[in-house]
Amino acid sequence: MTSPHRADRGLVRLCVLAVVAGLATGLLGGAFRWCLGHLDRWRVEMLDWSAGFGVPGWLVPIAVTAAGAAVGALAVRLVPTAAGSGIQHVEAVERGEAVPAPLRLIPAKFVGALAAIGSGLVLGREGPTVHMGAVVGSETGRRGGLDDVDVRVMQTSLSGAGLAVAFTAPIGGALFALEEVGRSFRLRLVLPTVFAVVAAVAVGRVILGDRPEFDVPSLDVPSVTTLPVFVVFGLVSGLVGIAYSRTVLGTLGWVGRFSRVPPIARAALIGAAIGALLAIDARTAGGGDGLTQAVVDGGVVLPALVALFLVRFVAGPLSYAAGTPGGLFAPLLALGALWGATFAEVADVVVQQSDPGGSGFRGAMILAGMAALFGAVVRAPLTGMVVVMEMTATTTVALPMLAATAAAVLVAHLSGSPPVYDSLRERMLANSVRREDEPGPDPAP
């Protein structure tokens, strides 16, 4: 039996190592976001430049995105565990279903994700930072002499630090590690997670600054008479979330049928398709941060809201099926903003009858849409709500957001549809078994 004093010393050691790993994760995640920000600006300049050539200029974004997707797929070919978000792999390690990823995943994920996301694929920056943070955590724990159980604690804690740096959302990152990955609030996981998140976000803010991700104007608290509208919105959002999860999995299955086409060529073809969307309208592709800000600012009107929602509803899963490094969260938040704004526009006439002027209603619906769709797809409602509140520095709409997110998660749960990362984890493990038994297709993300 372990003595209390020995257990306390073990916890202190775990927390110290978590701080060290958190500092490294903050540096790594901050550098990744800094590079990605420059690539995003370069992509906008490239699109403006190529538009000056008329129709022939369309070939430029098509070629650039195809090349970026190919580079991302090449990174996965060198390090197969770098495919996709990586969150499903982090969760598999936490559950003892997989071993921690090797250290060489970090350069593969870093470069591959920059190429894929920076070139315009509809992928999120959080997947790479979560996965890289988890590798930093497990490697720090291993080199610090921890046993296998505490190594898993370290990789789970640092996955939360990775998410925190990705969105500058420290509380959301901690909740992600506890609610989604660890699914436990035991002290031995909570304390290292908090220490790791604090260290990582502190370093990340030195690199990236202290501003929230989105500039949201001050929102009035919507009238309580509108709460039934948010509940209805949440119920419908649950159905949308189910459809999106199934689209992600269905697209992976459909693309996987073309097993005779080399993975790098498949990724390039998908990249070319996304590049064509970029040539038509830059808002249809990319991670979606700029689009979310435009929606918040009211710069996207109803016909465009619907069109962008439908296009990105398909483009996101298609980009993910390319098998390059990249996550699902950021595009999902942009999709939720589009969905919330669309619903607000349609419901505006009804709402104004009970809440004259609809003060704060549209903004509240946008933020509720981001949290509700996240909750329905990922099935981590607390993480989704807190991440949105931290990214927008807004808490005045917490009540309608809670109502919408709870309703969305309830519908998704009662439908029997599993959380998307549970499905992706099962798919990853099944593919791993098949590759061990016989030569077969490349790993699916």
Side-chain angles (χ1 to χ4, degrees):
M1 179 179 293
T2 304
S3 68
H5 293 294
R6 184 176 180 182
D8 290 343
R9 288 196 300 270
L11 181 59
V12 170
R13 183 183 184 188
L14 195 59
C15 291
V16 170
L17 289 174
V19 171
V20 173
L23 295 172
T25 298
L27 180 61
L28 193 61
F32 177 79
R33 284 192 55 189
W34 185 87
C35 293
L36 191 58
H38 281 276
L39 285 174
D40 286 342
R41 288 189 287 274
W42 172 83
R43 187 175 68 247
V44 172
E45 294 172 359
M46 178 268 293
L47 291 171
D48 291 340
W49 173 77
S50 63
F53 295 97
V55 176
W58 287 25
L59 295 176
V60 176
I62 290 174
V64 167
T65 312
V71 171
L74 177 61
V76 170
R77 182 175 181 179
L78 297 174
V79 184
T81 47
S85 169
I87 291 175
Q88 63 270 35
H89 181 263
V90 173
E91 293 186 356
V93 173
E94 165 63 23
R95 288 154 182 72
E97 300 169 340
V99 298
L103 197 59
R104 65 179 182 274
L105 176 136
I106 292 178
K109 202 88 176 184
F110 194 103
V111 175
L114 283 179
I117 304 171
S119 65
L121 289 184
V122 187
L123 297 170
R125 61 182 180 269
E126 79 295 326
T129 58
V130 166
H131 209 182
M132 290 188 292
V135 171
V136 170
S138 61
E139 189 68 16
T140 303
R142 186 182 66 80
R143 297 193 179 202
L146 300 181
D147 59 26
D148 290 344
V149 173
D150 281 347
V151 166
R152 288 201 296 271
V153 169
M154 283 287 291
Q155 80 104 32
T156 297
S157 298
L158 271 296
S159 71
L163 186 79
V165 174
F167 293 142
T168 317
I171 302 175
L175 279 174
F176 168 78
L178 303 173
E179 181 186 31
E180 171 61 20
V181 181
R183 299 186 181 178
S184 169
F185 285 81
R186 64 189 187 277
L187 187 65
R188 198 169 184 84
L189 178 59
V190 171
L191 282 181
T193 297
V194 172
F195 277 111
V197 165
V198 169
V201 173
V203 174
R205 284 184 171 176
V206 170
I207 299 172
L208 304 167
D210 294 329
R211 292 180 58 83
E213 297 302 304
F214 301 116
D215 185 12
V216 177
S218 179
L219 298 176
D220 294 334
V221 179
S223 169
V224 293
T225 59
T226 65
L227 279 180
V229 179
F230 283 93
V231 172
V232 171
F233 171 70
L235 295 173
V236 181
S237 297
L239 299 177
V240 175
I242 294 167
Y244 190 77
S245 295
R246 291 179 177 175
T247 302
V248 170
L249 298 172
T251 306
L252 282 171
W254 176 71
V255 171
R257 294 177 184 175
F258 299 93
S259 56
R260 294 185 179 181
V261 180
I264 295 177
R266 288 207 308 264
L269 289 172
I270 291 174
I274 301 300
L277 290 177
L278 277 172
I280 297 171
D281 188 336
R283 299 173 299 180
T284 58
D289 281 1
L291 174 59
T292 301
Q293 185 63 61
V295 172
V296 169
D297 293 339
V300 186
V301 296
L302 185 56
L305 287 172
V306 175
L308 288 169
F309 175 81
L310 293 175
V311 171
R312 291 183 68 93
F313 194 95
V314 176
L318 183 61
S319 296
Y320 193 78
T324 66
L328 292 170
F329 282 10
L332 188 59
L333 293 174
L335 197 68
L338 288 167
W339 165 238
T342 300
F343 191 94
E345 294 285 349
V346 173
D348 185 59
V349 175
V350 177
V351 172
Q352 286 188 10
Q353 293 178 3
S354 59
D355 181 21
S359 179
F361 176 75
R362 186 180 188 276
M365 193 63 77
I366 291 171
L367 271 57
M370 296 167 70
L373 197 57
F374 180 99
V377 174
V378 181
R379 221 64 56 82
L382 294 177
T383 299
M385 288 184 289
V386 171
V387 163
V388 171
M389 285 190 280
E390 289 187 291
M391 292 180 76
T392 59
T394 302
T395 59
T396 55
V397 298
L399 186 60
M401 187 186 296
L402 281 164
T405 304
V409 173
L410 178 62
V411 168
H413 176 72
L414 293 179
S415 72
S417 175
V420 69
Y421 284 111
D422 283 2
S423 299
L424 291 174
R425 188 180 77 253
E426 291 173 3
R427 180 185 178 87
M428 178 195 71
L429 295 173
N431 285 341
S432 297
V433 171
R434 186 174 68 246
R435 289 196 304 274
E436 292 174 359
D437 290 343
E438 60 183 48
D442 54 288

